[in-house]
Amino acid sequence: MKVRELIQQARIDRIEAEILLADVLEVERAWLFAHGEDPVAEPALTLFIDHAKARLTGEPLAYVLGYRDFRSLRLGVNRHVLIPRRETEHLVEWAIERIDAGSRRVLDLGTGSGAIALACKSERPHAMLTAIDCSAEALACAEANARSLDMQVEWLESHWFEQLGGAQWDLVVSNPPYISASDAHLKQGDLPAEPDSALIGGQTGLESIEHIVEHAPEYLVSGGWLLFEHGFDQADAVTECMQDRGFQQITSRRDWSSQPRMTGGQWPH
Ligand code: GLN
């Protein structure tokens, strides 16, 4: 079958079909436009048909491809990790500002594919990154990403702070699970395929954030910062929670779609 026909007959979004076909042919998407009449040979043909079928049955594009681009990095992803999101790129920007202001030891809580830790490390190589996740499979994915990018991050299997002993950090950054268990969004888009443990923050959505806020002060140096990503409607609740715990200089920031998506504050001197 020809390139053009394959794309037309794939029964998935045309751009996604182009992305999948370019991927199996190992060409740029632009190549397809000049080669619409070229025949697609095996094994690319079968691979493309399998990938298009998987997409048609709801498998997220990133899992079908096996990667997602995040800031300057191409990160391997699979069903054990949350697919890195654009929102989280803004959290990395904030973390980098803190690193530039002097934070050196940085802890990424619930690292998943390693997105936040690896992006910080790649953009600020002098920072010392530790990243934890409670899922051994997620850590395996993060470590594989670190190996293929040749970056040094300390990876630890831990439920939040449990395995961290007496160490302290200048900056703790996290994109924890923050969706309510009863939120209808969980049934939409890519979310049904993603790990619940990366998405669901208990009935309220805030349980993981509350746990982290409660315990973070033991693991922060005085003057250290705690930064979160959270739901578009959680900024007030997260602010209040951090205030009650004694954090100062609490501010929220907006993401690319103008949603107040991140909140952070400083543990006092
Ligand atoms: N931002 C994701 C979403 O709403 C959720 C990620 C998370 O829970 N940390 O799809």
Side-chain angles (χ1 to χ4, degrees), residues 82-83 85 87-88 174-179 183 185-186 188 190-191 194-201 205 229-232 234 261:
L82 187 85
I83 300 164
R85 310 270 205 277
E87 296 86 295
T88 312
S174 183
N175 173 19
Y178 54 70
I179 301 177
D183 191 321
H185 287 108
L186 290 168
Q188 295 168 9
D190 289 345
L191 276 68
E194 293 181 292
D196 283 350
S197 61
L199 293 170
I200 300 174
E229 178 178 318
H230 52 65
F232 70 96
Q234 292 173 331
R261 175 67 65 183

Side-chain angles (χ1 to χ4, degrees), residues 68-210:
R68 171 58 49 96
D69 291 340
F70 182 77
R71 290 185 72 91
S72 64
L73 306 176
R74 176 153 293 184
L75 298 172
V77 293
N78 59 40
R79 274 190 167 245
H80 299 295
V81 300
L82 187 85
I83 300 164
R85 310 270 205 277
R86 277 170 76 184
E87 296 86 295
T88 312
E89 297 196 1
H90 294 280
L91 185 66
V92 170
E93 257 159 50
W94 196 353
I96 285 173
E97 278 175 39
R98 294 308 328 157
I99 294 170
D100 289 344
S103 294
R104 224 181 133 72
R105 290 160 297 173
V106 182
L107 174 63
D108 173 15
L109 290 175
T111 194
S113 63
I116 294 173
L118 291 167
C120 287
K121 185 71 183 171
S122 80
E123 295 180 50
R124 293 297 181 273
H126 69 279
M128 291 160 61
L129 268 298
T130 303
I132 67 97
D133 205 285
C134 63
S135 153
E137 292 90 351
L139 279 178
C141 174
E143 289 186 71
N145 281 324
R147 266 196 307 279
S148 66
L149 295 163
D150 194 20
M151 289 198 296
Q152 299 297 319
V153 170
E154 180 185 25
W155 306 103
L156 295 170
E157 188 177 332
S158 176
H159 180 73
W160 304 130
F161 299 100
E162 267 168 28
Q163 304 300 321
L164 293 179
Q168 287 195 315
W169 282 267
D170 303 308
L171 172 63
V172 175
V173 58
S174 183
N175 173 19
Y178 54 70
I179 301 177
S180 154
S182 50
D183 191 321
H185 287 108
L186 290 168
K187 296 197 171 62
Q188 295 168 9
D190 289 345
L191 276 68
E194 293 181 292
D196 283 350
S197 61
L199 293 170
I200 300 174
Q203 252 329 307
T204 61
L206 289 164
E207 286 177 18
S208 298
I209 291 179
E210 285 165 353

